Amino acid sequence: MPQSRRKQGASRRRPAVNSWRIPNMADLLEGLPIGALILNPELTILAVNREGRRFLGPRSRLPMKQSFPAFWSTLTASDADLIAAQLTRVLRSGHPIASRQQLQMKRTGILVPVEWTCTPSTFGDVTVLMICIRDLSQEMEAKHERDRLAAIAHESPSPMIELDRHGSLLYANPAMISLLSRFGYSLEGFPSVAPAQLMTIIQRCLSTGQILHGQEVMLPKASFSWTFCPVLPHGVVRGYATDMTTVYTTQQALQETATQLGESNQRLDQALEKATESARVKSAFLATVSHELRTPMNGVIGMTSLLMETPLTPEQHSYAETIRQCGEALLQLINDVLECSKIEAGKLELECLDFNLRTTVEQVLAQFAERAETKGIELTGLVHASVPTGLKGDPGRLRQVLTNLVANAVKFTDKGDVALQAYLESDSADTVEVRFEVTDSGMGMSSTTIDKLFRPFVQADSSTTRKYGGTGLGLSISKQLVELMGGQIGVRSIEGQGSTFWCTARFQKQAGSLRAILPSGELAGKRVLIVDDNESNRMILHHLVSGWGMVDDLAEDAESAWQRITEANQRGTPYDLAILDVIMPGKDGLQLARELNSHPERSHTRLVVMTSILQRGHAEQARSSGAMGYLPKPVRHDELRGCLRTVLGMQDDQERTTEQIGSIVPQLVTRHTIAENVEHQHVLVVEDNIVNQKLAVRMVEKLGYRPDVVDNGQEALVALAKGRYAAILMDCQMPLMDGFETTRIIREREASDTGSSSALPGSDSRPGNTGGHDDIRHSPIETHRHIPIIAVTANAMQGDRERCLAAGMDDYLSKPIKLNELRAALARWTPAPPQKVQATKPMLPPGTTDPAQGIFDHAQMYQNIGSDNELFGQLIRLFLDRYQTMLADIRTALADGNSSAVERSAHTFKGTAGNLCASEVGLIASRLEAVGRLQALHDAPPVYAQLEIEVGRLVQVLESYRNGYPAMTQAAA
């Protein structure tokens, strides 16, 4: 065959070889973990494997049959001609080129480090180039991670070492090298900072494969704690040290501090014992000083009070009044100093008692009514409508704070007015915060003076020529009391324009506590005109009457009042009532009342006059001027409401129960509530001081009792064995036998004596008592008769009252004794003695109060039974015949310890008393009923004793009504 034909045949067969060999080869490259490309001699891409496509992109985007240098230069931003020259040299020389690193731009835009090589290959008679591309990303990351870990060890502040099984040091980081240069090596050739048993530790780690912790090394100037970790595959152990130098130094310092603290605690314990002993001595000293100071003060004040009730010339009366005032001032100073001492010692505790806030505020104002009247200033007070009145707290301490603030206001005010108001600060389900403000129109204070207030012994006027007296303790004590009550205290004042002292206090609320001012269905809609020149008075009266639902207008003088009344009449809406102030500039209230009553068109407006200056004849002048009511200032809520209801002709239905029991303070029965045909009660006075004896005897006599006097407890026991006493006034500190020991013996005799009443102390009968009264005294309960013992002591420290009551005494009076306080204490435990025995009970004049109202309301009972005189007498006689039996049932139940029977019998007695309108007996019977219901019979004896006293009073009153209601009326006529 010719050569030309062979070449043509060969040329025809070559494409066939390329067509099947190249694809087959590409298939073989698919399994390679690196990218592979096949280039023909023209440097055109013939094939790419899977890994190559990962680098270069999907098949659809690869430039197949295109120039590789141009394509690669695009991806790597390299020179295409240089790449083509390198690949051509490979084809010509047949030697692969050295690896070159390039950065390939992926389709995501991220630069990827790669390594590529070019190797010539021959397939048959065809030479091709194989490009291999390897991704260096993971390799470089691994290198970076290795470098990072090596840097951790290199840069770590903690020493690290690596040792082989022979203890040779293979590696030490810079921290360890620093220690080696500082502390060197031991004689065995090991680092001095390493544990002494290093070889043993290495062998143990490699043999057990366990990590060893807490290998301590203690050097003079350094301390370390080592942890050794075995690396079994390499047969080495790595050690990690923690510098414990600071820790051990701190521990040593703490140990030294603990030792010093222990020594300090011992010294403090010794100091505390000394301080405790000092406090005890101080407390005893204060108690002694209190007793020694109060004892002579008792004589000074008491005797002065008695002296002032005797006939005296005006000059003598002035001297006596000066003595009394000085004594009261000295007593107040003693009380303030003792109060400060108690607060400073943390001995002051607040009580939690039910009280009526409005009553407390009114009582505070009542104390200063006379003083304000003397100075010619207006004194007003108001508990705003939103404030609950039934609260739980310490009313005595609250009264003390308010008294101090009002006293200061009255003291520093020469003209104008003083107002005490209570506002609702915050309210919750169980508690309430009340804000009290005392505002005066006095001299005011500068900011410098305000900054000094509320400090002990600091006064607004502290000059040697100061006009006002006082110790400067009142505000300091008030501040501490207010803070104990969970509140704050402060003042706002402008010099020359008056001051406003304020304080807050937090109280618990009684169940069902009502607001201070409640709407009145009877007064609602009534039109009233308030005429007063004082703005505070007008504001107080406005809040009260508008709170009751009345429609009010205000006038500041007589002329404007006349104009308003005229305008109201012209509109056809005249005033039902007008409240007039007596003292006003220009035309006063009485003159205005006379003019109104003399005018036919205005005379139908009913008038009530009020005055802050009580003068003899004012009431008669008010009556002659046509006024139907006359009230003193500061006005009381209940008094004003009752007066308005009476003046408007409304039926008095026992003050409808718009307020619950306990939140209304009932009118007190006067000292003239007497029980007729009852002889004087005997009172035993146990007192060793001759001055106090004279004082007590005279006071007891003035109250209508017959006193007996003994000097000590032993003589008191002898007197009790000889005679019967209604009560005992017991001094606590006496020679031979003090009051506590005497009380203990008396109570033991009462509890253990089972003989007849004649064998008991005080079993003698009083003359004039027969029949039922003898039966009561000689009944079984009389064998255990409870004699009321009233402690009378000069001690007034915290806990003295509780100690007396715990010793068995029933009541407590602190010296100096005041006549009213003694009267109230005896009235709580004994029947009131008579002032004058009368054969019949006269009818009371209209508008006055029956002195027996609290014991027996005959008018209400007579009305309740429909004015049936026969039934009235039957009910009275039935009770007089049966009350002893009902009392005996209660005594029997108490003796048997039968709570249910006590409750049932007391309930029966309460119902009977209710039918008789005997409110006091009913109240005490309800208390005894509650004792039985609660099964608290240990509280029953004093309650029952009080019940007997009130029943005795009731019986004495009912004897006058035995023949019926009209009989008393006729006798009075």
Side-chain angles (χ1 to χ4, degrees), residues 402 405 419-423 435-439 492 500-503:
L402 298 180
L405 298 182
L420 167 59
Q421 299 188 59
Y423 302 88
R435 179 184 180 92
F436 301 92
E437 290 190 359
V438 178
T439 303
R492 304 187 305 271
T500 296
F501 281 83
W502 61 268
C503 67

Side-chain angles (χ1 to χ4, degrees), residues 809-854:
M809 301 180 188
D810 301 282
D811 215 328
Y812 173 92
L813 290 176
S814 62
K815 298 176 182 178
I817 305 173
K818 297 181 179 180
L819 194 63
N820 289 337
E821 294 177 354
L822 180 60
R823 177 188 291 112
L826 290 173
R828 285 193 291 268
W829 300 101
T830 65
Q835 300 299 319
K836 182 179 180 181
V837 178
Q838 296 178 349
T840 59
K841 183 179 179 67
M843 287 293 291
L844 298 172
T848 61
T849 303
D850 186 355
Q853 183 72 24

